[in-house]
Amino acid sequence: MTITQLKYVLAVAEHKNFTKASQHTFVTQPTLSMQIQKLEDELDILIFDRSRKPIELTPVGQKIVQQAKSIVNEAERMQDIVDQEKGFIGGEFKLGIIPTIMPTLLPMFLKNFTNKYPKVQLKIEELTTEDIVTRLQDGHLDAAIAATPLLEDKVKERVLYYEPFVGYVPQGHPLFEKKKLKVDDLDIDDLLLLEDGHCFRDGVLNLCKNKGAGSQDSFTLESGSFETLIKLSHEGLGMTLLPYLHAAELNENQKIQLRYFEEPSPAREVSLVYHKSELKMQIINALYDVIAGVIRGTIAFTDVKIISPLK
């Protein structure tokens, strides 16, 4: 049994196809098939049911795959130990970021990080929270930036900052004359929301639900971007809520419509999340330090109330 064989098994389990698995592991399909066959012969079991299309794991194969993930992770930890001993910060690092954080936070830290750690090859992908959790657990992400808490046993969370919710209230709206908003001011039938799948939407719904304001079923108008929500708001279709960093980037005319909440401000907790196996911790720590450094001068709120992103 070899680590390479186990990696081939994991690739086939993921792609459910020997040809696709061979392409992703950069070997020929006959080589990959032969190595998996050798492993099955050694263990005297079938890992895959090849009669199914797509290929499926056998019951014992499912257990083998779970154990293979642990073994491959531990094998990769050996290189981590060596890198940390040498003080080396480099190599490929796969980072996921949720859509409501990516446009504002990424430009703030990316250049600083790449200049400081040129040997790290960052591979960044915009992903939903659900996809982030799945990929972290499967070993397809090294870390991610998401709204927390996630309450996942296999995922560790390290808080980066707390980002307040900000009201965007157009002129002519009943709340426009207010200098500060209260959570009780919010009318769920008057709030424009992001479409389902965004954790910021779920946070807004939780904010209103906690105060007994309406129900999720009232919403029929939703969008995939804050920019669209702002435009719809100007059309008289309601107000909306924005993350603090997004609100800070609006032009001066748009900022006239912003209304902040009375303290403690409702806010989302934004964290660097990673698998509990703690692989590549030297890069995770470096990433945390750079982001925390650039965000420190931008968000200074301390009196906040954290709103859960979970449905």
Side-chain angles (χ1 to χ4, degrees):
M1 185 187 304
T2 67
I3 299 296
T4 299
Q5 287 174 329
L6 297 180
K7 288 181 177 179
Y8 292 165
V9 166
L10 293 178
V12 175
E14 178 186 354
H15 298 287
K16 296 180 173 58
N17 182 284
F18 279 84
T19 301
K20 289 181 180 178
S22 66
Q23 292 170 350
H24 282 80
T25 51
F26 305 104
V27 294
T28 64
Q29 192 268 330
T31 298
L32 179 138
S33 298
M34 180 185 67
Q35 289 299 321
I36 291 178
Q37 182 67 59
K38 287 177 66 175
L39 180 59
E40 289 178 320
D41 291 344
E42 179 182 343
L43 298 174
D44 195 25
I45 51 97
L46 285 177
I47 298 174
F48 298 103
D49 183 350
R50 294 162 175 79
S51 67
R52 300 295 186 96
K53 300 294 181 184
I55 292 169
E56 292 183 3
L57 288 164
T58 62
V60 69
Q62 294 175 5
K63 296 178 181 179
I64 293 293
V65 163
Q66 291 304 314
Q67 188 62 29
K69 288 179 181 178
S70 298
I71 294 171
V72 170
N73 278 341
E74 290 304 313
E76 291 176 349
R77 188 187 297 278
M78 301 268 294
Q79 186 61 52
D80 259 9
I81 292 171
V82 173
D83 288 344
Q84 291 181 42
E85 185 68 23
K86 293 179 177 179
F88 175 72
I89 300 178
E92 182 180 278
F93 191 84
K94 292 169 285 187
L95 179 70
I97 309 178
I98 61 172
T100 57
I101 290 177
M102 171 91 91
T104 50
L105 182 62
L106 186 61
M108 294 176 68
F109 76 84
L110 184 58
K111 186 175 181 179
N112 284 356
F113 184 84
T114 54
N115 285 344
K116 191 170 184 179
Y117 303 103
K119 293 182 180 178
V120 177
Q121 292 94 51
L122 272 181
K123 293 195 171 183
I124 303 168
E125 191 171 358
E126 186 175 275
L127 298 167
T128 64
T129 302
E130 184 179 358
D131 286 339
I132 281 171
V133 171
T134 299
R135 295 198 189 192
L136 282 173
Q137 292 175 340
D138 290 344
H140 296 139
L141 273 184
D142 296 308
I145 301 172
T148 54
L150 300 177
L151 304 181
E152 293 287 340
D153 291 340
K154 295 182 179 180
V155 176
K156 289 197 170 187
E157 303 171 1
R158 192 173 178 188
V159 178
L160 288 163
Y161 57 93
Y162 301 106
E163 183 174 26
F165 291 33
V166 181
Y168 190 88
V169 186
Q171 292 186 21
H173 190 279
L175 297 179
F176 181 76
E177 299 302 325
K178 297 200 71 167
K179 295 189 181 301
K180 291 274 188 177
L181 295 179
K182 298 179 181 178
V183 173
D184 289 334
D185 292 331
L186 300 179
D187 179 357
I188 200 163
D189 294 320
D190 184 50
L191 273 175
L192 300 172
L193 284 183
L194 291 174
E195 61 192 10
D196 199 13
H198 291 272
C199 63
F200 189 81
R201 165 201 167 93
D202 297 326
V204 172
L205 290 173
N206 289 337
L207 175 64
C208 295
K209 195 177 298 181
N210 291 342
K211 293 297 178 181
S215 68
Q216 182 175 346
D217 297 332
S218 303
F219 286 92
T220 56
L221 182 56
E222 302 166 359
S223 172
S225 75
F226 290 119
E227 286 72 21
T228 302
L229 293 182
I230 289 171
K231 290 178 182 178
L232 294 173
S233 182
H234 279 289
E235 293 297 321
L237 295 172
M239 62 171 289
T240 192
L241 295 182
L242 306 173
Y244 179 84
L245 289 179
H246 190 96
E249 292 189 344
L250 299 180
N251 62 46
E252 293 307 312
N253 288 333
Q254 290 174 320
K255 285 183 179 179
I256 295 172
Q257 332 290 326
L258 294 179
R259 295 295 180 272
Y260 296 89
F261 282 87
E262 291 183 352
E263 294 184 345
S265 303
R268 63 175 174 178
E269 179 182 85
V270 177
S271 300
L272 188 60
V273 298
Y274 48 93
H275 195 276
K276 68 176 185 179
S277 61
E278 298 188 346
L279 291 171
K280 303 186 181 180
M281 279 307 298
Q282 69 275 25
I283 301 180
I284 291 173
N285 289 334
L287 193 60
Y288 177 88
D289 290 341
V290 169
I291 296 174
V294 298
I295 206 72
R296 197 172 293 123
T298 306
I299 297 183
F301 291 84
T302 55
D303 190 6
V304 296
K305 179 181 179 181
I306 305 304
I307 305 299
S308 173
L310 301 179
K311 290 186 179 181

